[in-house]
Amino acid sequence: MRRLLAGASALLALAAGSLTASLPAAAADAPYDVLVFSKTAGFRHDSIAAGIQAIRDLGAANSFTVTATEDAAAFTSGNLAQYEAVVFLSTTGDVLNDTQQTAFESYIRGGGGYVGVHSAADTEYNWSFYGQLVGAYFASHPAIQQANVKVENRAHPGTAHLPQTWTRTDELYNYQSNPRATARVLATLDESSYSGGTMGSDHPITWCKTIDSGRSFYTGLGHSQASYAETALRAQLLGGIRYSAKRANADCRPETGYTALYNGSTTGWSQSGPGSFTNSDATLTSVGGMGLFWYNAKQYTSYSLKADWRMTGDSNSGIQVGFPNPGNDPNVAQTQGYEVQIDATDAADRTTGAIYAVKSADIAARDAALNPPGEWNTFEVLVEGQRIRVYLNSVLINDFTNTDPNRNLDGYIGIQNHGSGNTVAFRNIRIKESGTQPTGVGQVKGLAGKCLDVRGGSSANGTQIQLYTCQQGNAAQTWTRSGQTLQALGKCLDVNGGGTANGTKVQLWTCNGGGNQNWSAQSDGTLRNPQSGKCLDVSGNNSADGTVVHLWTCIAGAANQKWTLP
């Protein structure tokens, strides 16, 4: 993976007053191309020219070329194909016609990148796809003033450089809806720090998401000309562009319900064995070893554990799970539990994503998802009984079931400090237990290995459920098993109207506890709705993308009724 030019680190370091830490040097990205679109059909910001110049400056220092235009005729399939990302820079109103909209939607769904800046949320109100892409529409704003931005995700390349509280002056948007159900919120506004906020205690201002194979990043900041001279905002734009252009990876799945084990406070943590971790800027950094920093307040059985981590050079560390109280012997975690390895190199069963010395990660999937040393990554370690799955930046890279009677997945959680010269940092270690945490999160696969998919990634009630080619990290294909329900985008897989007739529509709907939202997994691979006694069926046994699924009489051995659950 080719990454950020070393020169970018020097650029960021210039603003030591606005950043708590500069980014370490990393390798250059493979060159790419960015289109900046700034057409306005409503209010026009006088900062657009400054924004274009800032992005040109970033491109010159960071391996991408910039084409700036206000000509919507650029939105053809052939022309868009040359760009890895398109930036909507303070656009307003209806800026694309129907043909141009179709070309842009195809571009995004096919893997293109979108970056929305400030009034990009005040654009294309009547185009539903754009609403999904940007995440939320503008509602209003108070007078320009200073406010505190609370950065809740400091692993994404667009926010990793920021402190937990970023104080700045801007035009602070209120939005018509909260994007949290369909996007990973990266930063919110603290409404107690300014006047005129209308969204309450959860007021997102920066977020990211995926739509089919495409990526989206939005920031509501960047109103004034002066904004684009700020190193911190420039770094945010650079990170958003790199993520959207697939030059950096991040976990942009929606996330709710997690409890922080570490986000600055080490209460409940203990060191076992030699070495230690420093604690600064809500970041734990390993020193010496070989030891174990473990959370002693509670043992865990079934849970989703997430942690953001960054390694320096060819270092070594890991996340340890399922061990008893180690006392002063950190080897207990290694011999009686399991380690999810962090190591840039080493044998396949001892490198990043491996269950250490037991099972290698899927190396191809791991390599595609991994950010290199110097950049942040996110692990999800999903433990269900004696099964452990490892997700790297939202991509499943390992799936292992323990059968060793001398080892376990029930127990304590910890992180390893490996030894001198091995420097790995951790941020935002959080957990979601079963009971509140579902029994499975991932793709539901059916006919021809394709996935159960929410059409268009829309969370609207009544959205058709369909079969579609599987795409890692796509929220529209990420299903959560909770009891007998299957949930995506915060809503449930639902039989329309509780119907029982063959061909009854299967759709997305607000979870309500009804029998028409229950699905019982059968030993023959079928998913049966107990209320009707009928099965989830791919219409016409057709494996083409976009084929609807519906309710149908269960048929023994029918390939179009067999499903593999996460």
Side-chain angles (χ1 to χ4, degrees), residues 126-149:
N126 297 316
W127 181 18
S128 62
F129 171 78
Y130 187 82
Q132 298 165 34
L133 180 65
V134 71
Y137 283 119
F138 166 82
S140 63
H141 66 77
I144 297 170
Q145 58 194 292
Q146 181 175 284
N148 290 335
V149 178

Side-chain angles (χ1 to χ4, degrees), residues 145 351 416:
Q145 58 194 292
T351 188
Q416 183 188 73

Side-chain angles (χ1 to χ4, degrees), residues 37-45 48 70 89-95 119 123:
F37 183 56
S38 55
K39 180 180 177 180
T40 55
F43 181 83
R44 185 170 181 84
H45 286 78
I48 286 175
E70 299 202 350
L89 178 62
S90 288
T91 52
T92 54
D94 295 332
V95 291
S119 63
T123 302

Side-chain angles (χ1 to χ4, degrees), residues 416-469:
Q416 183 188 73
N417 54 294
H418 192 272
S420 261
N422 290 278
T423 304
V424 176
F426 292 88
R427 284 178 173 170
N428 195 15
I429 303 173
R430 63 253 192 221
I431 198 165
K432 188 174 183 180
E433 294 185 78
S434 61
T436 57
Q437 169 65 18
T439 59
V441 178
Q443 294 173 325
V444 177
K445 295 184 178 180
L447 187 65
K450 294 191 174 182
C451 279
L452 198 64
D453 179 281
V454 181
R455 180 167 287 173
S458 171
S459 61
N461 281 347
T463 299
Q464 176 72 57
I465 307 301
Q466 62 184 7
L467 198 69
Y468 210 90
T469 299

Side-chain angles (χ1 to χ4, degrees), residues 1-18:
M1 303 291 289
R2 292 165 291 185
R3 299 289 160 189
L4 182 66
L5 284 174
S9 296
L11 172 68
L12 297 177
L14 292 175
S18 61

Side-chain angles (χ1 to χ4, degrees), residues 217-262:
F217 176 90
Y218 171 81
T219 180
L221 306 174
H223 169 77
S224 67
Q225 295 180 44
S227 295
Y228 296 98
E230 296 177 21
T231 302
L233 185 67
R234 283 188 171 215
Q236 181 170 94
L237 291 174
L238 176 61
I241 290 169
R242 293 185 67 236
Y243 164 74
S244 297
K246 299 182 178 175
R247 292 308 190 268
N249 296 305
D251 188 344
C252 285
R253 295 174 296 174
E255 183 178 306
T256 57
Y258 283 78
T259 299
L261 300 184
Y262 169 79

Side-chain angles (χ1 to χ4, degrees), residues 274-502:
S276 64
F277 281 84
T278 64
N279 180 21
S280 177
D281 186 32
T283 305
L284 292 169
T285 304
S286 63
V287 178
M290 172 179 292
L292 171 73
F293 197 51
W294 61 290
Y295 188 70
N296 61 34
K298 187 175 182 179
Q299 297 188 58
Y300 296 94
T301 301
S302 291
Y303 53 87
S304 167
L305 175 72
K306 291 189 177 183
D308 305 329
W309 56 269
R310 181 184 70 191
M311 69 185 337
T312 300
D314 184 11
S315 292
N316 190 315
S317 184
I319 295 175
Q320 313 260 184
V321 298
F323 54 90
N325 189 323
N328 229 5
D329 182 7
N331 291 322
V332 168
Q334 199 74 32
T335 58
Q336 297 185 45
Y338 286 98
E339 178 187 357
V340 179
Q341 177 74 335
I342 297 172
D343 186 346
T345 61
D346 210 335
D349 66 347
R350 302 179 184 215
T351 188
T352 299
I355 309 299
Y356 182 79
V358 175
K359 185 177 180 182
S360 169
D362 178 335
I363 296 298
R366 191 282 307 274
D367 286 351
L370 180 65
N371 293 322
E375 298 187 29
W376 288 91
N377 291 275
T378 298
F379 266 160
E380 179 187 11
V381 179
L382 182 62
V383 174
E384 296 171 342
Q386 294 301 306
R387 182 185 182 189
I388 182 171
R389 278 171 285 179
V390 181
Y391 294 81
L392 173 64
N393 297 323
S394 81
V395 176
L396 179 65
I397 61 169
N398 211 331
D399 190 342
F400 168 73
T401 299
N402 173 48
T403 58
D404 184 343
N406 298 312
R407 303 174 79 168
N408 211 329
L409 286 173
D410 300 343
Y412 291 103
I413 289 164
I415 55 178
Q416 183 188 73
N417 54 294
H418 192 272
S420 261
N422 290 278
T423 304
V424 176
F426 292 88
R427 284 178 173 170
N428 195 15
I429 303 173
R430 63 253 192 221
I431 198 165
K432 188 174 183 180
E433 294 185 78
S434 61
T436 57
Q437 169 65 18
T439 59
V441 178
Q443 294 173 325
V444 177
K445 295 184 178 180
L447 187 65
K450 294 191 174 182
C451 279
L452 198 64
D453 179 281
V454 181
R455 180 167 287 173
S458 171
S459 61
N461 281 347
T463 299
Q464 176 72 57
I465 307 301
Q466 62 184 7
L467 198 69
Y468 210 90
T469 299
C470 297
Q471 297 148 344
Q472 289 289 349
N474 185 356
Q477 296 178 356
T478 301
W479 294 90
T480 296
R481 296 174 61 194
S482 181
Q484 286 195 344
T485 66
L486 282 169
Q487 301 174 23
L489 304 176
K491 294 188 176 181
C492 279
L493 188 69
D494 176 283
V495 178
N496 184 30
T500 60
N502 281 349

Side-chain angles (χ1 to χ4, degrees), residues 27-56:
D29 287 335
Y32 60 106
D33 299 287
V34 172
L35 178 66
V36 178
F37 183 56
S38 55
K39 180 180 177 180
T40 55
F43 181 83
R44 185 170 181 84
H45 286 78
D46 65 5
S47 60
I48 286 175
I52 292 171
Q53 187 57 52
I55 297 172
R56 288 193 189 280

